[in-house]
Amino acid sequence: MNYPVVGRTFRLGILGGGQLGRMLVQAAIPYDVELVVMDPQKRCPAAEVCHDFVQGSFALKEDVLSFAKGLDAITVEIENVSIEALEELEAQGVTVHPSSAVLKTIRDKGLQKQFFQKHKIATLPFHLVANREELLSRVERGEIAVPFVQKTRTGGYDGQGVQVIFEKSHIGKAFDTPSVIEPLCDIAQEISVIVARGVDGATATYDPIEMVFDPEANLIDYLIYPAPISDHLSKQCIALAESAAEALGIVGILAVELFVEKDGTLWINEVAPRPHNSGHQTIEASMTSQYEQHLRCVLELPLGDVDIKQPSMMLNLVADGSGVFKIEGLREVLALPGVKVHLYGKHECRPNRKMGHVTIMHKDHIKALETVERIRSTLRITV
Amino acid sequence: MNYPVVGRTFRLGILGGGQLGRMLVQAAIPYDVELVVMDPQKRCPAAEVCHDFVQGSFALKEDVLSFAKGLDAITVEIENVSIEALEELEAQGVTVHPSSAVLKTIRDKGLQKQFFQKHKIATLPFHLVANREELLSRVERGEIAVPFVQKTRTGGYDGQGVQVIFEKSHIGKAFDTPSVIEPLCDIAQEISVIVARGVDGATATYDPIEMVFDPEANLIDYLIYPAPISDHLSKQCIALAESAAEALGIVGILAVELFVEKDGTLWINEVAPRPHNSGHQTIEASMTSQYEQHLRCVLELPLGDVDIKQPSMMLNLVADGSGVFKIEGLREVLALPGVKVHLYGKHECRPNRKMGHVTIMHKDHIKALETVERIRSTLRITV
C-alpha cells in the first residue's frame, strides 16, 4: 500500500454517496486523502463534500470499472455494488477493502446466514425461499412455522425488506422474492458491536452499543453507548462479533447486529461490511471514530484505539413528510450542552428518510434519556 | 440571520484558504453549510476540501466584492483582508463576522496596542515607529531602551515580522517598516485564551492553554491544554481575555495571547480574530472545537459548551527543507494510542512551514510529554 504518496495526493474511491460516505469524507480530511465518490444521485450527501464526484451506478460493472481508473484504492459505503467489477479490479492488483469475496457473502442475506452456519457462528435457524409461492407451500407442508420474520436476500435497507408475518392468513402480504425466513424470537435487547479489522489481521472492537428500534419504521430510534449490559454479556457479544470478522477475513469495519433473547441467548442477526448507523456516536464519543477507523483499515494503517471518551446516546433524525423540508427547533437543540447535530445535506425528505442524527454526550444516563426525549419533541424535519 | 435556509444550502465565504480554513470546512460539514473559499493560491489547503473555490486576493477590494456575490455570510481565517470591501458589504447589509471594525483594529498591531491602552486592558508599554530611521533616532535620544522587541505593525505571521534587538550595535538589522516597539520582559509562560463571543454578546471561554515556543523559529512548538497554572492565574487570564473580546465587541473566536512575567504580572501580547494555532487540540479535546464554535458565531447560533473531554497536548509539524516532501514515521505515530495526526494537504514544504499538527490526548501529563518527544523524533516532514 502506497499511502502517503510523495508529490501527489492519495485518491480513494467510495462506491455510494450517502451519509456514511459523507462522514467518511469528513474523517479523511486530516489524512490528506482525496475522496472520490460514485453514486447515481448527483446531489447525494457525499457529493457535496467530496473531492471529485462521478455520477454512475455502483451496481453496474462498466460504471465501477470506469470509476476505478486513476484511483489508489476503493471502498464502499453500501453493499449492493458490482461484485464482478471488484473481482476484476482485484485481479488487476487494485486495492479493494473490504474485498469482493466479503461483499459477495454479506450482501446476500441467504449467503450470509449459510456462512455463519458453516462457521458455527451463532445465528437463528433459517429457511431460504425463492419466492412467495415456495414460502406458501412450505408453510402449508408445515416446514415453516407461523409467525416468522421474512427478510429479502438482497436490496433491503433502512427497515425496507424486512417484515413479520404473524398469521397464516396474512401470507399473501409476504415479499415475492428470494428471502430468508427466521422464527420470531423473544428479543430482550438488540446490540451492535463494531469491529475493525486491519490488513494484518489485528482487530479493534468498540464497546457494545444498545440499539433501541422504532417498531413502526423498523429503524434505529436511538442508541446507548456503551450498552447497559453486564460485563459478562459484553464480553460474549464482543467475542461473537470478532469471530464473525475473523471468519470473514474482512479488512475494514464490520458492524455486527446481535439479538439478545430474554433467556440470555445471543444470536448474530446480520452484519454490515462498512461504517454503520449504530456507530455514528463514535465521532464524538470514541478516541477513533468508526469513519477514521474504516479509513485506517482501507489505507492499511495501524488501527486507532477505541476507548470511550464520553458515554453517549445517538438519536436518528427522520423526516415526517415528503419534499422540500424545514428544520424546526435547531437553535434550541444546539444550545443544549454536550449535544452535536449532524445534518446530512439531503435536498428532499421522505417519510422515515434519515436526514441527520444527534449525539448526546453525558455523564448521567437518566438525564441523557431526558435530553433524548427533549430533542425528539423539539427538533423536527418537516415539510 | 437566515440559517438554515429552506430549499437550498447556506453559503458561507471564507477569506483565506490555509489550514484554519481547511479545518473550518471540516467543522461545517455537519451543519450542511457550503463553504466557499477565496485565496490567491489555487492549491491552498482549504481549496482541496471546500465546496467552491475562487482564486483571488482577499486583500484586494474588487476581488472581495466579487467573491461576496451570492454568499449568505462572510468570515475570515486571516486578518490581512480588504477592510474597505468588508465595510462596503456591511453597508449593503451582508453579514460579516468578525466585523470590518474589529479586523481593522486587530490587523494593525499599532492600532491593537492603542485600543488596549485606551480600554485599560493590560498590555506592555510600547512605542510606534514609522521606520528604521525613526527607531534609530529615538534610541539615540534615549526614548527607546535596548534591548527591545520589534513587531511589524502589519503582515507578520508564523513568527515572521517579530524580532528582538539585544544590542544597540545590531539596530541596523531592525525592520525598516512601521513597527511596535516593546520592552523585552522576563516571561515565565505564554498562555493563550480562546474566547468565543456570539452576536448576542454571550461568551464561551476555553480553559487557558500553555504555548511552548520554539525559540529559533518563534513558532508554537507544542501546547499544553489545560495550562498547568493555578486556578487563580487561570481566572485572571480568562478575565483579561474576556475583557478584550468584550471591548472589541467581536462576533467569532478571539484568540488572546498572554505573557505571564516571572513576578506573576499578566499582559496581553496580541490577539487574533479567528481560530488560532493554539486551539487546534479543541477538535478532539473539547466538547466544541474552536472551528465549530467560530462557525456557530458566524451563523449566529447559540455557542457550544467548551468543557474539556480529554487533557491534551498539541505539536506543530514543521518542515525542515523546501520543495516536494515525504512524511517519515507516520505509521509509527498513528499506532500510538490517543494520538491524532492532522495533515494540511500542502503541496510543497519550506523551512518552518506548518505542514500539520498532532494532538496527544492523555490522562498523564508526564507520559504525554514523553509521547510529544517521541513523536518529535519519529514524525518528520522532510525533502
Side-chain angles (χ1 to χ4, degrees):
Chain A
M1 173 60 74
N2 195 21
Y3 168 83
V5 192
V6 176
R8 67 169 180 85
T9 308
F10 189 95
R11 283 172 71 82
L12 171 63
I14 316 177
L15 297 174
Q19 61 265 23
L20 302 172
R22 182 178 173 98
M23 290 183 269
L24 202 55
V25 169
Q26 193 186 14
I29 291 176
Y31 283 79
D32 190 23
V33 170
E34 290 180 1
L35 260 55
V36 189
V37 169
M38 184 164 74
D39 195 275
Q41 303 297 331
K42 76 173 174 202
R43 298 179 82 200
C44 65
E48 310 266 321
V49 297
C50 64
H51 193 276
D52 284 318
F53 175 73
V54 176
Q55 191 171 15
S57 171
F58 41 73
L60 280 181
K61 184 180 174 185
E62 54 270 39
D63 283 11
V64 174
L65 290 177
S66 137
F67 174 66
K69 282 173 193 145
L71 297 180
D72 294 293
I74 290 182
T75 189
V76 301
E77 61 107 57
I78 195 164
E79 294 88 309
N80 187 30
V81 298
S82 166
I83 299 296
E84 248 189 301
L86 296 184
E87 284 169 345
E88 194 163 316
L89 292 168
E90 285 165 341
Q92 291 167 16
V94 177
T95 301
V96 180
H97 293 313
S99 69
S100 61
V102 167
L103 289 166
K104 195 172 180 175
T105 302
I106 291 178
R107 73 186 208 132
D108 177 332
K109 288 181 188 173
L111 294 181
Q112 199 186 120
K113 293 287 285 188
Q114 288 174 329
F115 180 89
F116 294 141
Q117 197 175 49
K118 180 178 158 198
H119 289 268
K120 303 196 171 20
I121 291 168
T123 192
L124 283 170
F126 64 99
H127 300 277
L128 300 183
V129 297
N131 50 39
R132 193 191 292 138
E133 194 189 331
E134 185 190 338
L135 175 60
L136 198 59
S137 74
R138 291 176 68 182
V139 168
E140 288 300 333
R141 291 203 304 273
E143 277 176 45
I144 292 175
V146 181
F148 60 78
V149 179
Q150 181 185 25
K151 299 175 179 176
T152 59
R153 287 182 63 159
T154 58
Y157 74 99
D158 278 5
Q160 308 289 309
V162 179
Q163 65 175 336
V164 183
I165 302 287
F166 287 99
E167 291 178 36
K168 223 167 154 176
S169 62
H170 293 163
I171 218 160
K173 292 196 307 182
F175 304 125
D176 188 17
T177 188
S179 306
V180 175
I181 309 295
E182 289 180 348
L184 185 63
C185 72
D186 207 5
I187 300 170
Q189 278 178 307
E190 296 201 38
I191 299 292
S192 169
V193 178
I194 294 177
V195 184
R197 189 172 176 279
V199 74
D200 58 354
T203 55
T205 306
Y206 292 83
D207 282 322
I209 300 145
E210 180 171 3
M211 301 181 287
V212 180
F213 279 80
D214 176 333
E216 305 237 326
N218 195 25
L219 278 180
I220 291 172
D221 178 19
Y222 69 96
L223 302 175
I224 305 171
Y225 177 60
I229 56 176
S230 70
D231 275 4
H232 176 71
L233 180 57
S234 174
K235 282 183 183 134
Q236 282 184 298
C237 291
I238 290 172
L240 186 52
E242 288 181 348
S243 71
E246 198 52 52
L248 285 160
I250 191 170
V251 176
I253 292 285
L254 186 74
V256 181
E257 297 188 53
L258 303 165
F259 292 141
V260 186
E261 285 202 88
K262 289 199 172 135
D263 67 0
T265 315
L266 206 56
W267 307 103
I268 283 193
N269 171 20
E270 60 185 48
V271 302
R274 51 166 172 77
H276 190 256
N277 191 183
S278 66
H280 291 343
Q281 75 293 344
T282 60
I283 295 173
E284 292 89 2
S286 305
M287 293 296 267
T288 305
S289 80
Q290 65 166 350
Y291 301 99
E292 180 186 353
Q293 194 75 291
H294 187 71
L295 195 71
R296 285 178 178 240
C297 294
V298 174
L299 299 177
E300 302 184 354
L301 293 168
L303 301 181
D305 59 324
V306 292
D307 287 357
I308 288 188
K309 278 183 188 172
Q310 291 275 323
S312 61
M313 301 197 182
M314 190 285 302
L315 178 68
N316 274 330
L317 290 180
V318 295
D320 65 1
S322 286
V324 174
F325 61 89
K326 55 183 187 293
I327 306 173
E328 286 175 358
L330 182 60
R331 202 166 275 273
E332 293 89 313
V333 167
L334 286 171
L336 300 172
V339 168
K340 296 290 153 191
V341 177
H342 294 253
L343 301 174
Y344 299 154
K346 294 180 182 179
H347 292 270
E348 294 208 339
C349 67
R350 293 189 301 270
N352 292 326
R353 189 175 194 200
K354 291 175 191 156
M355 303 299 288
H357 75 264
V358 186
T359 305
I360 300 100
M361 285 169 280
H362 68 87
K363 293 189 174 108
D364 178 318
H365 187 88
I366 303 296
K367 280 192 189 151
L369 280 175
E370 288 168 8
T371 305
V372 167
E373 286 314 312
R374 184 167 168 192
I375 295 168
R376 197 199 306 284
S377 63
T378 308
L379 186 58
R380 285 160 53 92
I381 309 279
T382 188
V383 290
Chain B
M1 172 60 73
N2 196 22
Y3 168 83
V5 192
V6 176
R8 67 169 180 85
T9 308
F10 188 95
R11 283 173 70 84
L12 171 64
I14 315 177
L15 297 174
Q19 59 265 27
L20 302 173
R22 183 178 173 98
M23 290 183 268
L24 202 54
V25 169
Q26 191 186 15
I29 291 176
Y31 282 80
D32 188 24
V33 170
E34 288 179 4
L35 260 54
V36 188
V37 169
M38 184 164 78
D39 195 275
Q41 303 298 329
K42 75 174 175 205
R43 297 178 84 201
C44 64
E48 310 266 319
V49 297
C50 65
H51 192 274
D52 284 318
F53 175 73
V54 176
Q55 190 171 14
S57 169
F58 41 73
L60 279 181
K61 183 179 173 187
E62 52 271 42
D63 283 11
V64 175
L65 291 177
S66 137
F67 174 67
K69 282 174 193 145
L71 297 179
D72 294 295
I74 291 182
T75 190
V76 301
E77 62 106 59
I78 194 164
E79 294 88 312
N80 187 28
V81 298
S82 166
I83 300 295
E84 244 189 302
L86 295 183
E87 285 169 343
E88 191 163 319
L89 292 168
E90 286 165 341
Q92 289 166 14
V94 176
T95 301
V96 180
H97 294 311
S99 69
S100 61
V102 167
L103 289 166
K104 194 172 180 175
T105 301
I106 291 177
R107 70 184 211 136
D108 178 332
K109 289 180 188 172
L111 294 181
Q112 203 188 116
K113 293 286 285 188
Q114 289 174 326
F115 181 89
F116 294 142
Q117 197 175 47
K118 180 177 159 198
H119 289 268
K120 302 191 173 22
I121 292 168
T123 193
L124 284 170
F126 64 99
H127 299 278
L128 301 184
V129 297
N131 49 40
R132 193 191 293 138
E133 193 190 330
E134 184 188 339
L135 175 59
L136 198 58
S137 74
R138 290 176 68 182
V139 168
E140 289 299 334
R141 291 204 301 272
E143 276 175 46
I144 293 175
V146 182
F148 60 81
V149 180
Q150 182 184 25
K151 299 175 182 176
T152 60
R153 288 183 62 161
T154 57
Y157 75 100
D158 280 4
Q160 306 291 310
V162 179
Q163 66 175 338
V164 183
I165 301 289
F166 288 98
E167 293 179 36
K168 223 167 155 178
S169 61
H170 293 163
I171 218 157
K173 293 195 309 182
F175 304 125
D176 188 18
T177 187
S179 306
V180 174
I181 308 297
E182 290 180 350
L184 185 63
C185 70
D186 205 4
I187 299 170
Q189 279 178 306
E190 295 202 39
I191 299 291
S192 169
V193 177
I194 294 177
V195 184
R197 188 172 177 280
V199 74
D200 58 354
T203 55
T205 306
Y206 293 82
D207 282 325
I209 301 144
E210 181 171 3
M211 301 180 289
V212 181
F213 279 80
D214 176 334
E216 305 240 322
N218 194 25
L219 278 180
I220 292 173
D221 178 19
Y222 69 96
L223 301 176
I224 306 171
Y225 177 60
I229 55 175
S230 70
D231 274 3
H232 176 71
L233 180 56
S234 173
K235 282 183 185 135
Q236 282 184 299
C237 292
I238 290 173
L240 185 52
E242 287 182 348
S243 71
E246 197 53 50
L248 285 161
I250 192 172
V251 176
I253 292 283
L254 186 75
V256 181
E257 296 188 52
L258 303 166
F259 292 142
V260 187
E261 284 201 88
K262 288 198 174 136
D263 66 1
T265 313
L266 206 58
W267 307 106
I268 284 193
N269 172 20
E270 59 184 48
V271 301
R274 51 165 172 79
H276 190 255
N277 191 182
S278 65
H280 291 343
Q281 76 293 343
T282 60
I283 294 173
E284 293 90 2
S286 305
M287 293 298 267
T288 305
S289 79
Q290 65 166 350
Y291 302 99
E292 180 187 352
Q293 195 73 290
H294 187 70
L295 194 72
R296 283 179 180 239
C297 294
V298 174
L299 299 177
E300 302 184 354
L301 293 168
L303 301 181
D305 59 324
V306 292
D307 286 358
I308 288 187
K309 279 183 187 173
Q310 292 275 323
S312 60
M313 300 197 183
M314 192 284 303
L315 179 67
N316 274 330
L317 290 180
V318 295
D320 65 0
S322 285
V324 173
F325 61 91
K326 54 184 189 292
I327 305 173
E328 286 175 357
L330 183 59
R331 204 167 276 273
E332 294 88 314
V333 167
L334 286 171
L336 300 172
V339 168
K340 297 290 151 189
V341 177
H342 294 252
L343 302 174
Y344 299 155
K346 294 181 182 178
H347 292 271
E348 295 208 336
C349 67
R350 295 190 297 271
N352 292 326
R353 189 175 194 199
K354 292 176 189 155
M355 302 300 287
H357 74 266
V358 185
T359 306
I360 300 99
M361 286 169 281
H362 69 87
K363 293 189 174 105
D364 179 318
H365 187 89
I366 303 297
K367 282 192 188 149
L369 279 174
E370 288 168 11
T371 305
V372 167
E373 285 313 313
R374 186 166 166 190
I375 295 168
R376 195 199 307 283
S377 63
T378 309
L379 186 58
R380 284 164 52 94
I381 309 279
T382 188
V383 289

Coordinates of all heavy atoms in Angstrom, one line a residue, chain A residues 96-140:
Chain A
V96 N -8.8 -3.2 -2.9 CA -10.2 -3.1 -2.7 C -10.5 -3.6 -1.2 O -10.2 -4.8 -0.9 CB -11.1 -4.0 -3.7 CG1 -12.5 -3.8 -3.4 CG2 -10.8 -3.6 -5.1
H97 N -10.9 -2.7 -0.3 CA -11.3 -3.1 1.0 C -12.6 -2.6 1.4 O -12.8 -1.4 1.3 CB -10.2 -2.6 2.0 CG -8.9 -3.1 1.9 ND1 -8.6 -4.5 1.8 CD2 -7.7 -2.5 1.9 CE1 -7.3 -4.7 1.8 NE2 -6.7 -3.5 1.8
P98 N -13.6 -3.4 1.9 CA -13.5 -4.8 2.0 C -13.5 -5.5 0.6 O -13.9 -4.9 -0.3 CB -14.8 -5.2 2.8 CG -15.7 -4.1 2.4 CD -14.9 -2.8 2.3
S99 N -13.1 -6.8 0.6 CA -12.9 -7.5 -0.7 C -14.2 -7.9 -1.3 O -15.2 -7.9 -0.6 CB -12.0 -8.7 -0.4 OG -12.8 -9.7 0.3
S100 N -14.1 -8.2 -2.6 CA -15.3 -8.6 -3.3 C -15.9 -9.9 -2.7 O -17.1 -10.1 -2.6 CB -14.9 -8.9 -4.8 OG -14.0 -10.0 -4.8
A101 N -15.0 -10.8 -2.2 CA -15.5 -12.0 -1.6 C -16.3 -11.7 -0.3 O -17.4 -12.3 -0.1 CB -14.3 -12.9 -1.2
V102 N -15.8 -10.8 0.5 CA -16.6 -10.5 1.7 C -17.9 -9.8 1.4 O -19.0 -10.2 1.9 CB -15.7 -9.5 2.6 CG1 -16.6 -8.8 3.7 CG2 -14.5 -10.2 3.2
L103 N -17.9 -8.9 0.4 CA -19.1 -8.2 0.0 C -20.1 -9.2 -0.6 O -21.3 -9.1 -0.3 CB -18.8 -7.1 -1.0 CG -18.1 -5.9 -0.4 CD1 -17.5 -5.1 -1.5 CD2 -19.0 -5.1 0.5
K104 N -19.6 -10.2 -1.4 CA -20.5 -11.2 -2.0 C -21.2 -12.0 -0.9 O -22.4 -12.3 -1.1 CB -19.6 -12.1 -2.9 CG -20.4 -12.9 -3.8 CD -19.4 -13.7 -4.7 CE -20.0 -14.5 -5.8 NZ -19.1 -15.1 -6.7
T105 N -20.5 -12.4 0.1 CA -21.1 -13.2 1.2 C -22.1 -12.3 2.0 O -23.2 -12.8 2.3 CB -20.0 -13.7 2.1 OG1 -19.1 -14.4 1.4 CG2 -20.6 -14.5 3.3
I106 N -21.8 -11.1 2.2 CA -22.6 -10.3 3.2 C -23.8 -9.7 2.5 O -24.9 -9.6 3.1 CB -21.8 -9.2 3.8 CG1 -20.7 -9.8 4.8 CG2 -22.6 -8.2 4.5 CD1 -19.8 -8.8 5.4
R107 N -23.7 -9.3 1.2 CA -24.8 -8.5 0.6 C -26.0 -9.4 0.3 O -27.1 -8.9 0.1 CB -24.4 -7.8 -0.6 CG -24.1 -8.7 -1.8 CD -23.5 -7.9 -2.9 NE -23.9 -8.5 -4.1 CZ -24.4 -7.9 -5.2 NH1 -24.6 -6.6 -5.2 NH2 -24.8 -8.6 -6.2
D108 N -25.8 -10.7 0.3 CA -26.9 -11.7 0.1 C -27.2 -12.3 1.5 O -26.4 -13.1 2.0 CB -26.5 -12.7 -0.9 CG -27.6 -13.8 -1.1 OD1 -28.4 -14.1 -0.1 OD2 -27.7 -14.4 -2.2
K109 N -28.3 -11.9 2.1 CA -28.5 -12.4 3.5 C -28.7 -13.9 3.6 O -28.4 -14.5 4.6 CB -29.8 -11.7 4.1 CG -29.6 -10.2 4.4 CD -30.8 -9.5 5.0 CE -30.5 -8.0 5.0 NZ -31.7 -7.3 5.5
G110 N -29.0 -14.6 2.5 CA -29.0 -16.0 2.4 C -27.6 -16.6 2.5 O -27.3 -17.4 3.3
L111 N -26.7 -16.1 1.7 CA -25.3 -16.5 1.8 C -24.7 -16.2 3.1 O -23.9 -16.9 3.7 CB -24.5 -15.8 0.7 CG -24.8 -16.2 -0.8 CD1 -23.9 -15.5 -1.8 CD2 -24.7 -17.7 -1.0
Q112 N -25.1 -15.0 3.7 CA -24.5 -14.6 5.0 C -24.9 -15.6 6.0 O -24.1 -16.0 6.8 CB -25.1 -13.2 5.3 CG -24.4 -12.4 6.3 CD -25.1 -11.1 6.7 OE1 -25.4 -10.9 7.9 NE2 -25.3 -10.2 5.8
K113 N -26.2 -16.0 6.0 CA -26.7 -17.0 7.0 C -26.0 -18.3 6.8 O -25.5 -18.9 7.8 CB -28.2 -17.2 6.9 CG -29.1 -16.0 7.2 CD -29.2 -15.7 8.7 CE -30.1 -16.7 9.5 NZ -30.3 -16.3 10.9
Q114 N -25.8 -18.7 5.6 CA -25.1 -20.0 5.3 C -23.7 -20.0 5.8 O -23.1 -20.9 6.3 CB -25.2 -20.4 3.8 CG -26.6 -20.8 3.4 CD -26.7 -21.0 1.9 OE1 -26.0 -20.3 1.1 NE2 -27.6 -21.9 1.5
F115 N -23.1 -18.8 5.6 CA -21.7 -18.6 6.0 C -21.6 -18.8 7.6 O -20.7 -19.5 8.1 CB -21.2 -17.2 5.6 CG -19.8 -16.9 6.0 CD1 -18.7 -17.3 5.2 CD2 -19.5 -16.3 7.2 CE1 -17.4 -17.0 5.5 CE2 -18.2 -16.1 7.6 CZ -17.1 -16.4 6.8
F116 N -22.5 -18.1 8.3 CA -22.4 -18.2 9.8 C -22.7 -19.7 10.2 O -22.0 -20.2 11.1 CB -23.5 -17.3 10.4 CG -23.2 -15.8 10.2 CD1 -24.2 -14.9 10.0 CD2 -21.9 -15.4 10.2 CE1 -24.0 -13.6 9.8 CE2 -21.6 -14.0 10.0 CZ -22.7 -13.1 9.8
Q117 N -23.6 -20.3 9.5 CA -23.9 -21.7 9.9 C -22.7 -22.6 9.7 O -22.3 -23.4 10.5 CB -25.1 -22.2 8.9 CG -25.8 -23.4 9.4 CD -27.0 -23.7 8.5 OE1 -26.8 -23.7 7.2 NE2 -28.1 -24.0 9.1
K118 N -22.1 -22.4 8.5 CA -20.9 -23.2 8.1 C -19.8 -23.0 9.1 O -19.0 -23.9 9.5 CB -20.4 -22.8 6.7 CG -19.2 -23.5 6.2 CD -18.8 -23.1 4.8 CE -17.4 -23.4 4.5 NZ -16.9 -22.7 3.4
H119 N -19.6 -21.7 9.6 CA -18.5 -21.4 10.5 C -18.9 -21.5 12.0 O -18.2 -21.1 12.9 CB -18.0 -20.0 10.2 CG -17.2 -20.0 8.9 ND1 -15.9 -20.2 8.8 CD2 -17.6 -19.8 7.6 CE1 -15.5 -20.1 7.6 NE2 -16.5 -19.9 6.8
K120 N -20.1 -22.1 12.2 CA -20.6 -22.3 13.6 C -20.6 -21.0 14.4 O -20.3 -21.0 15.6 CB -19.7 -23.4 14.3 CG -19.7 -24.7 13.6 CD -19.1 -25.9 14.4 CE -19.3 -27.2 13.8 NZ -19.5 -27.3 12.3
I121 N -21.1 -20.0 13.7 CA -21.3 -18.7 14.4 C -22.8 -18.6 14.7 O -23.6 -18.7 13.8 CB -20.8 -17.6 13.5 CG1 -19.2 -17.7 13.4 CG2 -21.2 -16.2 14.0 CD1 -18.6 -16.8 12.3
A122 N -23.1 -18.4 16.0 CA -24.5 -18.5 16.4 C -25.4 -17.5 15.6 O -25.2 -16.3 15.7 CB -24.5 -18.2 17.9
T123 N -26.3 -18.1 14.9 CA -27.3 -17.3 14.2 C -28.6 -18.1 14.3 O -28.6 -19.3 14.4 CB -26.9 -16.9 12.8 OG1 -27.7 -15.9 12.3 CG2 -26.9 -18.1 11.9
L124 N -29.8 -17.4 14.2 CA -31.0 -18.1 14.3 C -31.2 -19.1 13.2 O -30.7 -18.9 12.1 CB -32.2 -17.1 14.2 CG -32.5 -16.3 15.5 CD1 -33.5 -15.2 15.1 CD2 -33.1 -17.1 16.6
P125 N -31.9 -20.2 13.4 CA -32.1 -21.2 12.4 C -32.9 -20.5 11.3 O -33.6 -19.5 11.5 CB -33.0 -22.3 13.0 CG -33.5 -21.7 14.3 CD -32.5 -20.6 14.7
F126 N -32.8 -21.0 10.0 CA -33.5 -20.2 8.9 C -33.8 -21.2 7.8 O -33.3 -22.3 7.7 CB -32.5 -19.1 8.4 CG -31.3 -19.7 7.8 CD1 -31.1 -19.8 6.4 CD2 -30.2 -20.0 8.6 CE1 -30.0 -20.3 5.8 CE2 -29.0 -20.6 8.1 CZ -28.9 -20.7 6.7
H127 N -34.7 -20.7 6.9 CA -35.0 -21.3 5.7 C -34.8 -20.3 4.6 O -35.0 -19.1 4.8 CB -36.5 -21.7 5.6 CG -36.9 -22.7 6.7 ND1 -36.7 -24.0 6.6 CD2 -37.5 -22.5 7.9 CE1 -37.1 -24.6 7.7 NE2 -37.6 -23.7 8.5
L128 N -34.4 -20.8 3.4 CA -34.3 -19.9 2.2 C -35.5 -20.3 1.3 O -35.7 -21.4 1.1 CB -33.0 -20.1 1.5 CG -31.7 -19.8 2.3 CD1 -30.4 -20.0 1.4 CD2 -31.7 -18.4 2.9
V129 N -36.2 -19.2 0.8 CA -37.2 -19.5 -0.2 C -37.0 -18.6 -1.4 O -36.4 -17.5 -1.3 CB -38.6 -19.2 0.4 CG1 -38.9 -20.1 1.6 CG2 -38.8 -17.7 0.8
A130 N -37.4 -19.1 -2.5 CA -37.1 -18.4 -3.8 C -38.2 -17.4 -4.1 O -37.9 -16.4 -4.8 CB -37.1 -19.4 -4.9
N131 N -39.4 -17.6 -3.6 CA -40.5 -16.7 -3.9 C -41.7 -16.9 -2.9 O -41.6 -17.8 -2.1 CB -40.9 -16.8 -5.3 CG -41.2 -18.2 -5.7 OD1 -41.7 -19.0 -4.9 ND2 -40.8 -18.6 -6.9
R132 N -42.8 -16.2 -3.1 CA -43.9 -16.3 -2.2 C -44.6 -17.7 -2.4 O -45.0 -18.2 -1.4 CB -44.9 -15.2 -2.5 CG -46.0 -15.1 -1.5 CD -47.1 -14.1 -1.9 NE -46.7 -12.8 -2.0 CZ -47.0 -11.9 -3.0 NH1 -47.8 -12.3 -4.0 NH2 -46.6 -10.7 -3.0
E133 N -44.6 -18.2 -3.6 CA -45.2 -19.5 -3.8 C -44.5 -20.6 -3.0 O -45.2 -21.4 -2.4 CB -45.1 -19.8 -5.3 CG -46.0 -20.9 -5.8 CD -45.8 -21.4 -7.2 OE1 -45.3 -20.5 -8.0 OE2 -45.9 -22.5 -7.5
E134 N -43.2 -20.6 -3.1 CA -42.4 -21.6 -2.3 C -42.7 -21.4 -0.8 O -42.9 -22.4 -0.1 CB -40.9 -21.5 -2.6 CG -40.2 -22.6 -1.9 CD -38.6 -22.5 -1.9 OE1 -38.1 -21.8 -2.8 OE2 -38.0 -23.0 -1.0
L135 N -42.7 -20.2 -0.4 CA -43.0 -19.9 1.0 C -44.3 -20.5 1.5 O -44.4 -21.2 2.5 CB -42.9 -18.4 1.2 CG -43.3 -17.8 2.6 CD1 -42.3 -18.4 3.7 CD2 -43.3 -16.3 2.7
L136 N -45.3 -20.2 0.6 CA -46.7 -20.6 0.9 C -46.7 -22.1 1.0 O -47.3 -22.7 2.0 CB -47.6 -20.1 -0.3 CG -49.1 -20.1 0.0 CD1 -49.4 -19.2 1.1 CD2 -49.7 -19.5 -1.3
S137 N -46.1 -22.8 0.0 CA -46.2 -24.3 0.0 C -45.5 -24.9 1.2 O -45.9 -25.9 1.8 CB -45.8 -24.8 -1.3 OG -44.4 -24.8 -1.4
R138 N -44.4 -24.3 1.6 CA -43.6 -24.8 2.7 C -44.3 -24.5 4.0 O -44.2 -25.3 5.0 CB -42.2 -24.3 2.7 CG -41.4 -24.9 1.5 CD -40.0 -24.4 1.4 NE -39.1 -24.8 2.5 CZ -37.9 -24.4 2.6 NH1 -37.3 -23.6 1.7 NH2 -37.1 -24.8 3.6
V139 N -45.0 -23.4 4.1 CA -45.9 -23.2 5.3 C -47.0 -24.2 5.3 O -47.3 -24.8 6.4 CB -46.4 -21.7 5.3 CG1 -47.5 -21.6 6.4 CG2 -45.3 -20.7 5.5
E140 N -47.6 -24.5 4.1 CA -48.7 -25.5 4.1 C -48.2 -26.8 4.5 O -48.9 -27.6 5.2 CB -49.2 -25.6 2.6 CG -50.0 -24.4 2.1 CD -51.3 -24.1 3.0 OE1 -51.8 -25.1 3.6 OE2 -51.7 -23.0 3.1

